[in-house]
Amino acid sequence: MAKRFVWLYMLMLCLTGCGTTPNPNAAQHQETVTIKRVEQEPVTERKEVDRVYVRLSNSENVERFFAFLERYQVGEADQIEIQHFTIEGDPIITTLNYDGKQIFFTYDDSQDRYGAQEKGVRQEVCKEIVHQEEDGKTSYYVTNCSDDAGGKKYFLIHVPSKS
């Protein structure tokens, strides 16, 4: 009988040892997680700007730049964004917004982590796009801009020259 009592006592000890007791300080250590739902605005009002990507090894969507040039030459409004990438992969963004009369030129190198200290967003109003042939490539620039002091021009893109 003593053996049974010892076994019963051991069994009760094991069962009560595995249980949990409420901790009065537990409420202080609980964290509340709140999930906030963010409503997105409808996309119908946004106008997507066509982009040309210029990397060290290649360029993408360059035909969109030529379509912009054609519209510029006939006086038709258009907008384009040219994204150049640094060696480190940081974007330098040039935006051209042509209203049929003048070109609103925006140059943004604010995301260039290793660029000059005077980086940021610069804007000019320009009147002309010109090109220059050299070393097997054609370089395009905007000129005749609002800060034009001595024929300053802003680089847009290099493309291989047509042979």
Side-chain angles (χ1 to χ4, degrees), residues 54-56 83-92 107 109 111-115:
V54 181
R55 294 179 174 81
L56 295 175
Q83 290 189 5
H84 292 266
F85 293 91
T86 65
I87 294 171
E88 298 83 17
D90 299 333
I92 297 176
Y107 180 84
D109 63 351
Q111 298 177 56
D112 185 2
R113 292 175 289 179
Y114 301 101

Side-chain angles (χ1 to χ4, degrees), residues 94-114:
T94 302
T95 305
L96 301 174
N97 189 349
Y98 180 61
D99 68 358
K101 295 181 182 176
Q102 53 192 1
I103 303 161
F104 297 90
F105 169 80
T106 304
Y107 180 84
D108 180 1
D109 63 351
S110 62
Q111 298 177 56
D112 185 2
R113 292 175 289 179
Y114 301 101

